[in-house]
Amino acid sequence: MSTDPVKSETQYQLGVPAVDGIAIPAGGNNTSNAKQGHKCCGGCCDTKRAVIVVNIINIGVILMAVFSILATRSMSQQTDAVYDDDEVQAALAAFSEAPIGIFLAVSGVKACISLAGIMGAIKYNVVLTGIAAAAFCFDAVVALIAFNVVGVVYAALFAYPHFFFIKEVRNGTMSVENYPNEVHSCCCV
């Protein structure tokens, strides 16, 4: 601590904590223009950008799953008569008759939740980002129950930037005012 009575008295009057006469900013008031927040994806980007990117990737995966299910269902309905193996015909018939409305509804909800995560990152909204994080955690639990290791890893890796983003928004490190100091990207614009 500084022993200079003038500095100590000034700091006391301002109510600013200091070490050796140097003021220490509270919370996320980054006056040094140095990045204080977490870097995601192996140091590739800041948490805001990571939340946006993982949610865009998730929407892409959802759309690919929907299109592949619809295409497979369409092909199975067209090729039922082509295969003479009874087991193959039974499997194709079961697939073409399966209700896919639930799958499409769940996929739509998951895509909307990812959109909420994107909006949460853009608007620095903890609630919207938290909804997306909770959905990824739910997916991880479902995958864990199904012994789907790839699903658990996918969901956990996609939930990870959400939690750090929420933490940084809450402690003031990530904000509209401070984002120019926190922006970090190795490859994206």
Side-chain angles (χ1 to χ4, degrees):
M1 220 42 200
S2 176
T3 56
D4 184 1
V6 176
K7 285 184 183 177
S8 298
E9 185 177 320
T10 306
Q11 291 163 2
Y12 177 75
Q13 289 173 351
L14 295 175
V16 177
V19 174
D20 292 331
I22 300 172
I24 302 170
N29 299 328
N30 187 357
T31 58
S32 68
N33 291 336
K35 179 160 178 54
Q36 294 178 335
H38 185 76
K39 293 179 187 174
C40 288
C41 307
C44 184
C45 55
D46 59 79
T47 57
K48 176 183 177 182
R49 192 174 305 240
V51 167
I52 293 169
V53 168
V54 298
N55 281 295
I56 289 172
I57 291 170
N58 194 50
I59 291 170
V61 168
I62 290 167
L63 289 175
M64 285 191 303
V66 166
F67 289 137
S68 67
I69 291 292
L70 292 176
T72 304
R73 183 179 174 125
S74 174
M75 289 180 1
S76 71
Q77 290 172 343
Q78 295 173 1
T79 58
D80 281 344
V82 176
Y83 299 102
D84 26 336
D85 186 8
D86 292 337
E87 290 179 19
V88 172
Q89 283 184 344
L92 289 173
F95 187 76
S96 65
E97 294 169 4
I100 62 167
I102 294 172
F103 171 76
L104 294 175
V106 168
S107 297
V109 169
K110 289 172 80 172
C112 289
I113 289 172
S114 284
L115 284 173
I118 293 169
M119 288 308 299
I122 291 171
K123 301 281 186 182
Y124 301 93
N125 187 311
V126 173
V127 173
L128 291 176
T129 308
I131 290 170
F136 284 119
C137 290
F138 177 77
D139 287 347
V141 169
V142 169
L144 187 63
I145 291 169
F147 298 108
N148 179 355
V149 176
V150 174
V152 171
V153 171
Y154 175 88
L157 288 176
F158 277 35
Y160 156 77
H162 292 78
F163 288 111
F164 277 95
F165 177 77
I166 291 168
K167 177 184 168 208
E168 290 179 1
V169 169
R170 284 187 175 160
N171 72 18
T173 303
M174 187 65 70
S175 65
V176 175
E177 298 81 20
N178 200 35
Y179 188 66
N181 298 331
E182 293 301 316
V183 68
H184 177 76
S185 177
C186 67
C187 59
C188 304
V189 176

